[in-house]
Amino acid sequence: MQNLIEKAIHTHQLNKEELLLLLEDETNLDALLAAANQVRKKYVGDEIHLRGLIEFSNFCKNNCLYCGLRRDNKNLTRYRMDEENIISLAAHAKEMGLKTIVLQSGEDLHFNTERMCRIIKGIKALDLALTLSIGEKTREEYAAYKEAGADRYLIRIETTDKKLYADNNPDMSWEERAECIRNLKSLGYELGSGCLVGLPNQTLSSLADDILFFKETDCDMIGIGPFIPHPDTPLKNAKGKELNLSLKVMALTRLLLPDINIPATTAMETLAPDGQAKALNGGANVIMPNVTLTDFRKLYQLYPGKTTTGYTPDDSLKKVIDKIHALGRTVGSGYGQSPHWLKEQK
Ligand code: 5AD
Ligand code: SF4
């Protein structure tokens, strides 16, 4: 097993069988995290890049079985921020020292291409890097956002197991989602994807495929999130909460994609007070402090118990910076593009 880890550290290549062996072994978590930490240090350094997350609408036309924003959840008060407030919140994030904003929402048709492009231009006028995380759109829409100034896009494949995807994402298509990912990459976006870990009936074999998919589709960022059951969804009684397995998938992703950006996800922190610290010591190099206004964040409930609920943007940022310093790391000073993407621009 140690030989396989050594091979991954030096070649960044593992085949499906090798990945599966490492995923099945229940004794190698610490060794994998240490190996991923070593590769992270070598390829992306000690800086931790911050992304200010603005959750601007919790309306969603989709019905993913795992997610609290699903359209059939009638227990949720829906909100959308207006264009002006979104832009002024981005300006506040900039005043707090953040250099990248992530605009995230459910798939909300109210924000049509014209509205999105106005918001994108408003934020880009502030000289911030901008990431969108607003779901599946046509190639033309993605091209229009890029033209308006958007730099990056996050869209998780969620799982590469097509049956599992179909079971969990009614009226969505795995092929269309994969097509969105390919479109975003070919349009020149810095591309972020990722998966959920711990869905009912998810296999280790499919998690190995997920990691290989990230490599194949040439992702620049990967977010791995443990699935956390939400009480107002059909998966309320599912087990989920696989923090260690999520950390393992994250570490293996770092080993195979050494020069990408990997966030320590909020879902990891939700499962353990040191969840993000473990991630940052096991391959992660990004944190996304939540800068959504306090009243809205409790309504942006993809899963319950989000640690950022109840805080103000300023509190959230301070907590994150303290955590980074406690780990002996530094806050990134630039826009924090992934070296992987920068290399492709040359
Ligand atoms: N637990 C953890 N992550 C979730 N997401 C949605 N629902 C949950 C849940 N119950 C994740 C999905 C989506 C991202 C925005 O949030 O992976 O892509
Ligand atoms: Fe909507 Fe995304 Fe939640 Fe699915 S995971 S219901 S697309 S917000």
mmCIF file with all atom_site columns, all heavy atoms in Angstrom, residues 57-62 69 105-111 133-137 142 153 155 172 177 180 300:
data_model
loop_
_atom_site.group_PDB
_atom_site.id
_atom_site.type_symbol
_atom_site.label_atom_id
_atom_site.label_alt_id
_atom_site.label_comp_id
_atom_site.label_asym_id
_atom_site.label_entity_id
_atom_site.label_seq_id
_atom_site.pdbx_PDB_ins_code
_atom_site.Cartn_x
_atom_site.Cartn_y
_atom_site.Cartn_z
_atom_site.occupancy
_atom_site.B_iso_or_equiv
_atom_site.pdbx_formal_charge
_atom_site.auth_seq_id
_atom_site.auth_comp_id
_atom_site.auth_asym_id
_atom_site.auth_atom_id
_atom_site.pdbx_PDB_model_num
ATOM 1   N N   . SER A 1 57  ? -29.604 33.570 -4.198  1.00 0.00 ? 57  SER A N   1
ATOM 2   C CA  . SER A 1 57  ? -31.008 33.144 -4.353  1.00 0.00 ? 57  SER A CA  1
ATOM 3   C C   . SER A 1 57  ? -31.117 31.680 -3.956  1.00 0.00 ? 57  SER A C   1
ATOM 4   O O   . SER A 1 57  ? -30.277 30.866 -4.350  1.00 0.00 ? 57  SER A O   1
ATOM 5   C CB  . SER A 1 57  ? -31.466 33.303 -5.808  1.00 0.00 ? 57  SER A CB  1
ATOM 6   O OG  . SER A 1 57  ? -32.634 32.524 -6.034  1.00 0.00 ? 57  SER A OG  1
ATOM 7   N N   . ASN A 1 58  ? -32.166 31.340 -3.200  1.00 0.00 ? 58  ASN A N   1
ATOM 8   C CA  . ASN A 1 58  ? -32.346 29.927 -2.843  1.00 0.00 ? 58  ASN A CA  1
ATOM 9   C C   . ASN A 1 58  ? -33.512 29.304 -3.604  1.00 0.00 ? 58  ASN A C   1
ATOM 10  O O   . ASN A 1 58  ? -33.981 28.238 -3.240  1.00 0.00 ? 58  ASN A O   1
ATOM 11  C CB  . ASN A 1 58  ? -32.489 29.745 -1.322  1.00 0.00 ? 58  ASN A CB  1
ATOM 12  C CG  . ASN A 1 58  ? -33.782 30.282 -0.775  1.00 0.00 ? 58  ASN A CG  1
ATOM 13  O OD1 . ASN A 1 58  ? -34.549 30.930 -1.505  1.00 0.00 ? 58  ASN A OD1 1
ATOM 14  N ND2 . ASN A 1 58  ? -34.058 30.033 0.497   1.00 0.00 ? 58  ASN A ND2 1
ATOM 15  N N   . PHE A 1 59  ? -33.971 29.980 -4.675  1.00 0.00 ? 59  PHE A N   1
ATOM 16  C CA  . PHE A 1 59  ? -34.971 29.348 -5.545  1.00 0.00 ? 59  PHE A CA  1
ATOM 17  C C   . PHE A 1 59  ? -34.264 28.315 -6.403  1.00 0.00 ? 59  PHE A C   1
ATOM 18  O O   . PHE A 1 59  ? -33.155 28.554 -6.885  1.00 0.00 ? 59  PHE A O   1
ATOM 19  C CB  . PHE A 1 59  ? -35.613 30.388 -6.475  1.00 0.00 ? 59  PHE A CB  1
ATOM 20  C CG  . PHE A 1 59  ? -36.646 31.236 -5.801  1.00 0.00 ? 59  PHE A CG  1
ATOM 21  C CD1 . PHE A 1 59  ? -36.267 32.369 -5.088  1.00 0.00 ? 59  PHE A CD1 1
ATOM 22  C CD2 . PHE A 1 59  ? -37.995 30.906 -5.872  1.00 0.00 ? 59  PHE A CD2 1
ATOM 23  C CE1 . PHE A 1 59  ? -37.213 33.159 -4.453  1.00 0.00 ? 59  PHE A CE1 1
ATOM 24  C CE2 . PHE A 1 59  ? -38.954 31.696 -5.244  1.00 0.00 ? 59  PHE A CE2 1
ATOM 25  C CZ  . PHE A 1 59  ? -38.564 32.825 -4.529  1.00 0.00 ? 59  PHE A CZ  1
ATOM 26  N N   . CYS A 1 60  ? -34.907 27.152 -6.593  1.00 0.00 ? 60  CYS A N   1
ATOM 27  C CA  . CYS A 1 60  ? -34.326 26.173 -7.509  1.00 0.00 ? 60  CYS A CA  1
ATOM 28  C C   . CYS A 1 60  ? -35.425 25.431 -8.238  1.00 0.00 ? 60  CYS A C   1
ATOM 29  O O   . CYS A 1 60  ? -36.389 24.976 -7.628  1.00 0.00 ? 60  CYS A O   1
ATOM 30  C CB  . CYS A 1 60  ? -33.428 25.178 -6.786  1.00 0.00 ? 60  CYS A CB  1
ATOM 31  S SG  . CYS A 1 60  ? -32.533 24.167 -7.987  1.00 0.00 ? 60  CYS A SG  1
ATOM 32  N N   . LYS A 1 61  ? -35.256 25.284 -9.558  1.00 0.00 ? 61  LYS A N   1
ATOM 33  C CA  . LYS A 1 61  ? -36.255 24.584 -10.362 1.00 0.00 ? 61  LYS A CA  1
ATOM 34  C C   . LYS A 1 61  ? -36.035 23.075 -10.309 1.00 0.00 ? 61  LYS A C   1
ATOM 35  O O   . LYS A 1 61  ? -36.850 22.310 -10.796 1.00 0.00 ? 61  LYS A O   1
ATOM 36  C CB  . LYS A 1 61  ? -36.218 25.076 -11.802 1.00 0.00 ? 61  LYS A CB  1
ATOM 37  C CG  . LYS A 1 61  ? -34.984 24.675 -12.598 1.00 0.00 ? 61  LYS A CG  1
ATOM 38  C CD  . LYS A 1 61  ? -35.140 25.138 -14.045 1.00 0.00 ? 61  LYS A CD  1
ATOM 39  C CE  . LYS A 1 61  ? -33.926 24.834 -14.894 1.00 0.00 ? 61  LYS A CE  1
ATOM 40  N NZ  . LYS A 1 61  ? -33.633 23.402 -15.060 1.00 0.00 ? 61  LYS A NZ  1
ATOM 41  N N   . ASN A 1 62  ? -34.930 22.642 -9.739  1.00 0.00 ? 62  ASN A N   1
ATOM 42  C CA  . ASN A 1 62  ? -34.617 21.207 -9.716  1.00 0.00 ? 62  ASN A CA  1
ATOM 43  C C   . ASN A 1 62  ? -35.073 20.567 -8.410  1.00 0.00 ? 62  ASN A C   1
ATOM 44  O O   . ASN A 1 62  ? -35.487 21.258 -7.478  1.00 0.00 ? 62  ASN A O   1
ATOM 45  C CB  . ASN A 1 62  ? -33.129 20.985 -9.942  1.00 0.00 ? 62  ASN A CB  1
ATOM 46  C CG  . ASN A 1 62  ? -32.709 21.439 -11.328 1.00 0.00 ? 62  ASN A CG  1
ATOM 47  O OD1 . ASN A 1 62  ? -33.507 21.402 -12.263 1.00 0.00 ? 62  ASN A OD1 1
ATOM 48  N ND2 . ASN A 1 62  ? -31.479 21.897 -11.457 1.00 0.00 ? 62  ASN A ND2 1
ATOM 49  N N   . LEU A 1 69  ? -32.667 22.780 -0.935  1.00 0.00 ? 69  LEU A N   1
ATOM 50  C CA  . LEU A 1 69  ? -33.250 23.823 -1.805  1.00 0.00 ? 69  LEU A CA  1
ATOM 51  C C   . LEU A 1 69  ? -34.178 23.237 -2.877  1.00 0.00 ? 69  LEU A C   1
ATOM 52  O O   . LEU A 1 69  ? -34.758 23.978 -3.656  1.00 0.00 ? 69  LEU A O   1
ATOM 53  C CB  . LEU A 1 69  ? -32.146 24.642 -2.509  1.00 0.00 ? 69  LEU A CB  1
ATOM 54  C CG  . LEU A 1 69  ? -31.079 25.324 -1.656  1.00 0.00 ? 69  LEU A CG  1
ATOM 55  C CD1 . LEU A 1 69  ? -30.305 26.341 -2.498  1.00 0.00 ? 69  LEU A CD1 1
ATOM 56  C CD2 . LEU A 1 69  ? -31.644 26.005 -0.431  1.00 0.00 ? 69  LEU A CD2 1
ATOM 57  N N   . SER A 1 105 ? -26.261 30.157 -6.424  1.00 0.00 ? 105 SER A N   1
ATOM 58  C CA  . SER A 1 105 ? -27.721 30.125 -6.227  1.00 0.00 ? 105 SER A CA  1
ATOM 59  C C   . SER A 1 105 ? -28.227 28.755 -6.642  1.00 0.00 ? 105 SER A C   1
ATOM 60  O O   . SER A 1 105 ? -27.495 27.960 -7.232  1.00 0.00 ? 105 SER A O   1
ATOM 61  C CB  . SER A 1 105 ? -28.391 31.197 -7.102  1.00 0.00 ? 105 SER A CB  1
ATOM 62  O OG  . SER A 1 105 ? -28.249 30.864 -8.462  1.00 0.00 ? 105 SER A OG  1
ATOM 63  N N   . GLY A 1 106 ? -29.493 28.490 -6.349  1.00 0.00 ? 106 GLY A N   1
ATOM 64  C CA  . GLY A 1 106 ? -30.160 27.352 -6.971  1.00 0.00 ? 106 GLY A CA  1
ATOM 65  C C   . GLY A 1 106 ? -30.339 27.687 -8.450  1.00 0.00 ? 106 GLY A C   1
ATOM 66  O O   . GLY A 1 106 ? -29.944 28.771 -8.906  1.00 0.00 ? 106 GLY A O   1
ATOM 67  N N   . GLU A 1 107 ? -30.937 26.791 -9.213  1.00 0.00 ? 107 GLU A N   1
ATOM 68  C CA  . GLU A 1 107 ? -31.188 27.131 -10.620 1.00 0.00 ? 107 GLU A CA  1
ATOM 69  C C   . GLU A 1 107 ? -32.453 27.989 -10.673 1.00 0.00 ? 107 GLU A C   1
ATOM 70  O O   . GLU A 1 107 ? -33.566 27.484 -10.643 1.00 0.00 ? 107 GLU A O   1
ATOM 71  C CB  . GLU A 1 107 ? -31.290 25.866 -11.472 1.00 0.00 ? 107 GLU A CB  1
ATOM 72  C CG  . GLU A 1 107 ? -29.932 25.200 -11.637 1.00 0.00 ? 107 GLU A CG  1
ATOM 73  C CD  . GLU A 1 107 ? -29.852 24.232 -12.801 1.00 0.00 ? 107 GLU A CD  1
ATOM 74  O OE1 . GLU A 1 107 ? -30.745 24.243 -13.677 1.00 0.00 ? 107 GLU A OE1 1
ATOM 75  O OE2 . GLU A 1 107 ? -28.885 23.440 -12.831 1.00 0.00 ? 107 GLU A OE2 1
ATOM 76  N N   . ASP A 1 108 ? -32.245 29.288 -10.677 1.00 0.00 ? 108 ASP A N   1
ATOM 77  C CA  . ASP A 1 108 ? -33.329 30.262 -10.546 1.00 0.00 ? 108 ASP A CA  1
ATOM 78  C C   . ASP A 1 108 ? -33.502 31.002 -11.872 1.00 0.00 ? 108 ASP A C   1
ATOM 79  O O   . ASP A 1 108 ? -32.651 31.811 -12.247 1.00 0.00 ? 108 ASP A O   1
ATOM 80  C CB  . ASP A 1 108 ? -32.952 31.240 -9.415  1.00 0.00 ? 108 ASP A CB  1
ATOM 81  C CG  . ASP A 1 108 ? -34.033 32.288 -9.192  1.00 0.00 ? 108 ASP A CG  1
ATOM 82  O OD1 . ASP A 1 108 ? -35.049 32.289 -9.932  1.00 0.00 ? 108 ASP A OD1 1
ATOM 83  O OD2 . ASP A 1 108 ? -33.851 33.115 -8.270  1.00 0.00 ? 108 ASP A OD2 1
ATOM 84  N N   . LEU A 1 109 ? -34.612 30.715 -12.553 1.00 0.00 ? 109 LEU A N   1
ATOM 85  C CA  . LEU A 1 109 ? -34.803 31.275 -13.900 1.00 0.00 ? 109 LEU A CA  1
ATOM 86  C C   . LEU A 1 109 ? -35.035 32.789 -13.889 1.00 0.00 ? 109 LEU A C   1
ATOM 87  O O   . LEU A 1 109 ? -34.913 33.447 -14.920 1.00 0.00 ? 109 LEU A O   1
ATOM 88  C CB  . LEU A 1 109 ? -35.974 30.563 -14.608 1.00 0.00 ? 109 LEU A CB  1
ATOM 89  C CG  . LEU A 1 109 ? -35.724 29.074 -14.855 1.00 0.00 ? 109 LEU A CG  1
ATOM 90  C CD1 . LEU A 1 109 ? -36.942 28.418 -15.490 1.00 0.00 ? 109 LEU A CD1 1
ATOM 91  C CD2 . LEU A 1 109 ? -34.477 28.845 -15.705 1.00 0.00 ? 109 LEU A CD2 1
ATOM 92  N N   . HIS A 1 110 ? -35.350 33.348 -12.709 1.00 0.00 ? 110 HIS A N   1
ATOM 93  C CA  . HIS A 1 110 ? -35.503 34.805 -12.618 1.00 0.00 ? 110 HIS A CA  1
ATOM 94  C C   . HIS A 1 110 ? -34.222 35.500 -13.093 1.00 0.00 ? 110 HIS A C   1
ATOM 95  O O   . HIS A 1 110 ? -34.276 36.548 -13.738 1.00 0.00 ? 110 HIS A O   1
ATOM 96  C CB  . HIS A 1 110 ? -35.799 35.194 -11.160 1.00 0.00 ? 110 HIS A CB  1
ATOM 97  C CG  . HIS A 1 110 ? -35.680 36.662 -10.894 1.00 0.00 ? 110 HIS A CG  1
ATOM 98  N ND1 . HIS A 1 110 ? -36.713 37.544 -11.158 1.00 0.00 ? 110 HIS A ND1 1
ATOM 99  C CD2 . HIS A 1 110 ? -34.655 37.407 -10.417 1.00 0.00 ? 110 HIS A CD2 1
ATOM 100 C CE1 . HIS A 1 110 ? -36.320 38.775 -10.823 1.00 0.00 ? 110 HIS A CE1 1
ATOM 101 N NE2 . HIS A 1 110 ? -35.078 38.716 -10.373 1.00 0.00 ? 110 HIS A NE2 1
ATOM 102 N N   . PHE A 1 111 ? -33.074 34.889 -12.750 1.00 0.00 ? 111 PHE A N   1
ATOM 103 C CA  . PHE A 1 111 ? -31.797 35.491 -13.156 1.00 0.00 ? 111 PHE A CA  1
ATOM 104 C C   . PHE A 1 111 ? -31.471 35.023 -14.570 1.00 0.00 ? 111 PHE A C   1
ATOM 105 O O   . PHE A 1 111 ? -30.719 34.082 -14.774 1.00 0.00 ? 111 PHE A O   1
ATOM 106 C CB  . PHE A 1 111 ? -30.693 35.138 -12.152 1.00 0.00 ? 111 PHE A CB  1
ATOM 107 C CG  . PHE A 1 111 ? -30.867 35.871 -10.841 1.00 0.00 ? 111 PHE A CG  1
ATOM 108 C CD1 . PHE A 1 111 ? -31.492 35.263 -9.770  1.00 0.00 ? 111 PHE A CD1 1
ATOM 109 C CD2 . PHE A 1 111 ? -30.454 37.188 -10.711 1.00 0.00 ? 111 PHE A CD2 1
ATOM 110 C CE1 . PHE A 1 111 ? -31.678 35.951 -8.572  1.00 0.00 ? 111 PHE A CE1 1
ATOM 111 C CE2 . PHE A 1 111 ? -30.634 37.889 -9.519  1.00 0.00 ? 111 PHE A CE2 1
ATOM 112 C CZ  . PHE A 1 111 ? -31.256 37.266 -8.450  1.00 0.00 ? 111 PHE A CZ  1
ATOM 113 N N   . SER A 1 133 ? -21.598 29.936 -9.757  1.00 0.00 ? 133 SER A N   1
ATOM 114 C CA  . SER A 1 133 ? -22.003 28.585 -9.377  1.00 0.00 ? 133 SER A CA  1
ATOM 115 C C   . SER A 1 133 ? -23.533 28.579 -9.404  1.00 0.00 ? 133 SER A C   1
ATOM 116 O O   . SER A 1 133 ? -24.189 28.660 -8.369  1.00 0.00 ? 133 SER A O   1
ATOM 117 C CB  . SER A 1 133 ? -21.451 28.270 -7.983  1.00 0.00 ? 133 SER A CB  1
ATOM 118 O OG  . SER A 1 133 ? -21.916 27.039 -7.509  1.00 0.00 ? 133 SER A OG  1
ATOM 119 N N   . ILE A 1 134 ? -24.074 28.576 -10.632 1.00 0.00 ? 134 ILE A N   1
ATOM 120 C CA  . ILE A 1 134 ? -25.516 28.782 -10.814 1.00 0.00 ? 134 ILE A CA  1
ATOM 121 C C   . ILE A 1 134 ? -26.154 27.693 -11.677 1.00 0.00 ? 134 ILE A C   1
ATOM 122 O O   . ILE A 1 134 ? -27.273 27.846 -12.141 1.00 0.00 ? 134 ILE A O   1
ATOM 123 C CB  . ILE A 1 134 ? -25.810 30.194 -11.386 1.00 0.00 ? 134 ILE A CB  1
ATOM 124 C CG1 . ILE A 1 134 ? -25.107 30.409 -12.720 1.00 0.00 ? 134 ILE A CG1 1
ATOM 125 C CG2 . ILE A 1 134 ? -25.367 31.279 -10.401 1.00 0.00 ? 134 ILE A CG2 1
ATOM 126 C CD1 . ILE A 1 134 ? -25.438 31.763 -13.389 1.00 0.00 ? 134 ILE A CD1 1
ATOM 127 N N   . GLY A 1 135 ? -25.416 26.601 -11.880 1.00 0.00 ? 135 GLY A N   1
ATOM 128 C CA  . GLY A 1 135 ? -26.038 25.428 -12.474 1.00 0.00 ? 135 GLY A CA  1
ATOM 129 C C   . GLY A 1 135 ? -25.886 25.284 -13.970 1.00 0.00 ? 135 GLY A C   1
ATOM 130 O O   . GLY A 1 135 ? -25.002 25.876 -14.591 1.00 0.00 ? 135 GLY A O   1
ATOM 131 N N   . GLU A 1 136 ? -26.801 24.462 -14.513 1.00 0.00 ? 136 GLU A N   1
ATOM 132 C CA  . GLU A 1 136 ? -26.707 24.071 -15.921 1.00 0.00 ? 136 GLU A CA  1
ATOM 133 C C   . GLU A 1 136 ? -27.329 25.129 -16.821 1.00 0.00 ? 136 GLU A C   1
ATOM 134 O O   . GLU A 1 136 ? -28.484 25.520 -16.618 1.00 0.00 ? 136 GLU A O   1
ATOM 135 C CB  . GLU A 1 136 ? -27.435 22.735 -16.130 1.00 0.00 ? 136 GLU A CB  1
ATOM 136 C CG  . GLU A 1 136 ? -26.756 21.597 -15.415 1.00 0.00 ? 136 GLU A CG  1
ATOM 137 C CD  . GLU A 1 136 ? -27.429 20.253 -15.657 1.00 0.00 ? 136 GLU A CD  1
ATOM 138 O OE1 . GLU A 1 136 ? -28.086 20.074 -16.711 1.00 0.00 ? 136 GLU A OE1 1
ATOM 139 O OE2 . GLU A 1 136 ? -27.304 19.389 -14.779 1.00 0.00 ? 136 GLU A OE2 1
ATOM 140 N N   . LYS A 1 137 ? -26.576 25.588 -17.799 1.00 0.00 ? 137 LYS A N   1
ATOM 141 C CA  . LYS A 1 137 ? -27.038 26.596 -18.762 1.00 0.00 ? 137 LYS A CA  1
ATOM 142 C C   . LYS A 1 137 ? -26.598 26.145 -20.144 1.00 0.00 ? 137 LYS A C   1
ATOM 143 O O   . LYS A 1 137 ? -25.768 25.237 -20.276 1.00 0.00 ? 137 LYS A O   1
ATOM 144 C CB  . LYS A 1 137 ? -26.398 27.969 -18.462 1.00 0.00 ? 137 LYS A CB  1
ATOM 145 C CG  . LYS A 1 137 ? -26.511 28.434 -17.025 1.00 0.00 ? 137 LYS A CG  1
ATOM 146 C CD  . LYS A 1 137 ? -27.900 28.950 -16.668 1.00 0.00 ? 137 LYS A CD  1
ATOM 147 C CE  . LYS A 1 137 ? -28.003 29.150 -15.163 1.00 0.00 ? 137 LYS A CE  1
ATOM 148 N NZ  . LYS A 1 137 ? -29.349 29.509 -14.732 1.00 0.00 ? 137 LYS A NZ  1
ATOM 149 N N   . TYR A 1 142 ? -23.288 30.398 -21.166 1.00 0.00 ? 142 TYR A N   1
ATOM 150 C CA  . TYR A 1 142 ? -21.942 30.381 -20.570 1.00 0.00 ? 142 TYR A CA  1
ATOM 151 C C   . TYR A 1 142 ? -21.018 31.346 -21.319 1.00 0.00 ? 142 TYR A C   1
ATOM 152 O O   . TYR A 1 142 ? -20.201 32.036 -20.706 1.00 0.00 ? 142 TYR A O   1
ATOM 153 C CB  . TYR A 1 142 ? -21.346 28.966 -20.610 1.00 0.00 ? 142 TYR A CB  1
ATOM 154 C CG  . TYR A 1 142 ? -21.977 27.959 -19.657 1.00 0.00 ? 142 TYR A CG  1
ATOM 155 C CD1 . TYR A 1 142 ? -22.041 26.609 -19.977 1.00 0.00 ? 142 TYR A CD1 1
ATOM 156 C CD2 . TYR A 1 142 ? -22.473 28.352 -18.410 1.00 0.00 ? 142 TYR A CD2 1
ATOM 157 C CE1 . TYR A 1 142 ? -22.581 25.671 -19.113 1.00 0.00 ? 142 TYR A CE1 1
ATOM 158 C CE2 . TYR A 1 142 ? -23.022 27.421 -17.534 1.00 0.00 ? 142 TYR A CE2 1
ATOM 159 C CZ  . TYR A 1 142 ? -23.079 26.076 -17.893 1.00 0.00 ? 142 TYR A CZ  1
ATOM 160 O OH  . TYR A 1 142 ? -23.618 25.158 -17.032 1.00 0.00 ? 142 TYR A OH  1
ATOM 161 N N   . TYR A 1 153 ? -16.059 28.927 -13.081 1.00 0.00 ? 153 TYR A N   1
ATOM 162 C CA  . TYR A 1 153 ? -17.393 28.339 -12.923 1.00 0.00 ? 153 TYR A CA  1
ATOM 163 C C   . TYR A 1 153 ? -17.288 27.053 -12.109 1.00 0.00 ? 153 TYR A C   1
ATOM 164 O O   . TYR A 1 153 ? -16.410 26.239 -12.355 1.00 0.00 ? 153 TYR A O   1
ATOM 165 C CB  . TYR A 1 153 ? -17.997 28.031 -14.295 1.00 0.00 ? 153 TYR A CB  1
ATOM 166 C CG  . TYR A 1 153 ? -19.522 28.052 -14.288 1.00 0.00 ? 153 TYR A CG  1
ATOM 167 C CD1 . TYR A 1 153 ? -20.214 29.155 -14.765 1.00 0.00 ? 153 TYR A CD1 1
ATOM 168 C CD2 . TYR A 1 153 ? -20.257 26.974 -13.784 1.00 0.00 ? 153 TYR A CD2 1
ATOM 169 C CE1 . TYR A 1 153 ? -21.607 29.193 -14.751 1.00 0.00 ? 153 TYR A CE1 1
ATOM 170 C CE2 . TYR A 1 153 ? -21.648 27.012 -13.763 1.00 0.00 ? 153 TYR A CE2 1
ATOM 171 C CZ  . TYR A 1 153 ? -22.309 28.121 -14.248 1.00 0.00 ? 153 TYR A CZ  1
ATOM 172 O OH  . TYR A 1 153 ? -23.688 28.167 -14.232 1.00 0.00 ? 153 TYR A OH  1
ATOM 173 N N   . ILE A 1 155 ? -19.303 23.664 -11.096 1.00 0.00 ? 155 ILE A N   1
ATOM 174 C CA  . ILE A 1 155 ? -20.453 22.781 -11.313 1.00 0.00 ? 155 ILE A CA  1
ATOM 175 C C   . ILE A 1 155 ? -20.008 21.346 -11.032 1.00 0.00 ? 155 ILE A C   1
ATOM 176 O O   . ILE A 1 155 ? -19.239 20.756 -11.790 1.00 0.00 ? 155 ILE A O   1
ATOM 177 C CB  . ILE A 1 155 ? -21.067 22.974 -12.730 1.00 0.00 ? 155 ILE A CB  1
ATOM 178 C CG1 . ILE A 1 155 ? -22.260 22.053 -12.931 1.00 0.00 ? 155 ILE A CG1 1
ATOM 179 C CG2 . ILE A 1 155 ? -20.033 22.810 -13.844 1.00 0.00 ? 155 ILE A CG2 1
ATOM 180 C CD1 . ILE A 1 155 ? -23.138 22.416 -14.122 1.00 0.00 ? 155 ILE A CD1 1
ATOM 181 N N   . MET A 1 172 ? -33.159 15.389 -14.467 1.00 0.00 ? 172 MET A N   1
ATOM 182 C CA  . MET A 1 172 ? -31.893 15.941 -14.968 1.00 0.00 ? 172 MET A CA  1
ATOM 183 C C   . MET A 1 172 ? -31.165 14.816 -15.706 1.00 0.00 ? 172 MET A C   1
ATOM 184 O O   . MET A 1 172 ? -31.476 13.653 -15.522 1.00 0.00 ? 172 MET A O   1
ATOM 185 C CB  . MET A 1 172 ? -31.040 16.456 -13.802 1.00 0.00 ? 172 MET A CB  1
ATOM 186 C CG  . MET A 1 172 ? -31.659 17.665 -13.121 1.00 0.00 ? 172 MET A CG  1
ATOM 187 S SD  . MET A 1 172 ? -30.805 18.155 -11.603 1.00 0.00 ? 172 MET A SD  1
ATOM 188 C CE  . MET A 1 172 ? -29.413 19.081 -12.238 1.00 0.00 ? 172 MET A CE  1
ATOM 189 N N   . ARG A 1 177 ? -25.150 17.254 -17.977 1.00 0.00 ? 177 ARG A N   1
ATOM 190 C CA  . ARG A 1 177 ? -24.273 17.876 -16.984 1.00 0.00 ? 177 ARG A CA  1
ATOM 191 C C   . ARG A 1 177 ? -22.801 17.760 -17.422 1.00 0.00 ? 177 ARG A C   1
ATOM 192 O O   . ARG A 1 177 ? -22.037 18.721 -17.339 1.00 0.00 ? 177 ARG A O   1
ATOM 193 C CB  . ARG A 1 177 ? -24.480 17.200 -15.616 1.00 0.00 ? 177 ARG A CB  1
ATOM 194 C CG  . ARG A 1 177 ? -23.985 18.071 -14.480 1.00 0.00 ? 177 ARG A CG  1
ATOM 195 C CD  . ARG A 1 177 ? -24.560 17.612 -13.168 1.00 0.00 ? 177 ARG A CD  1
ATOM 196 N NE  . ARG A 1 177 ? -24.171 18.493 -12.089 1.00 0.00 ? 177 ARG A NE  1
ATOM 197 C CZ  . ARG A 1 177 ? -24.804 19.599 -11.729 1.00 0.00 ? 177 ARG A CZ  1
ATOM 198 N NH1 . ARG A 1 177 ? -25.875 19.993 -12.386 1.00 0.00 ? 177 ARG A NH1 1
ATOM 199 N NH2 . ARG A 1 177 ? -24.367 20.331 -10.721 1.00 0.00 ? 177 ARG A NH2 1
ATOM 200 N N   . CYS A 1 180 ? -22.152 20.288 -20.019 1.00 0.00 ? 180 CYS A N   1
ATOM 201 C CA  . CYS A 1 180 ? -21.933 21.630 -19.435 1.00 0.00 ? 180 CYS A CA  1
ATOM 202 C C   . CYS A 1 180 ? -20.468 21.780 -19.015 1.00 0.00 ? 180 CYS A C   1
ATOM 203 O O   . CYS A 1 180 ? -19.830 22.802 -19.273 1.00 0.00 ? 180 CYS A O   1
ATOM 204 C CB  . CYS A 1 180 ? -22.803 21.834 -18.192 1.00 0.00 ? 180 CYS A CB  1
ATOM 205 S SG  . CYS A 1 180 ? -24.540 22.084 -18.558 1.00 0.00 ? 180 CYS A SG  1
ATOM 206 N N   . TYR A 1 300 ? -30.334 29.447 3.187   1.00 0.00 ? 300 TYR A N   1
ATOM 207 C CA  . TYR A 1 300 ? -29.594 28.766 2.121   1.00 0.00 ? 300 TYR A CA  1
ATOM 208 C C   . TYR A 1 300 ? -29.120 27.425 2.665   1.00 0.00 ? 300 TYR A C   1
ATOM 209 O O   . TYR A 1 300 ? -27.947 27.170 2.862   1.00 0.00 ? 300 TYR A O   1
ATOM 210 C CB  . TYR A 1 300 ? -28.418 29.623 1.643   1.00 0.00 ? 300 TYR A CB  1
ATOM 211 C CG  . TYR A 1 300 ? -27.965 29.228 0.254   1.00 0.00 ? 300 TYR A CG  1
ATOM 212 C CD1 . TYR A 1 300 ? -28.594 29.742 -0.871  1.00 0.00 ? 300 TYR A CD1 1
ATOM 213 C CD2 . TYR A 1 300 ? -26.948 28.300 0.071   1.00 0.00 ? 300 TYR A CD2 1
ATOM 214 C CE1 . TYR A 1 300 ? -28.211 29.353 -2.145  1.00 0.00 ? 300 TYR A CE1 1
ATOM 215 C CE2 . TYR A 1 300 ? -26.559 27.899 -1.193  1.00 0.00 ? 300 TYR A CE2 1
ATOM 216 C CZ  . TYR A 1 300 ? -27.193 28.437 -2.295  1.00 0.00 ? 300 TYR A CZ  1
ATOM 217 O OH  . TYR A 1 300 ? -26.818 28.045 -3.558  1.00 0.00 ? 300 TYR A OH  1
#
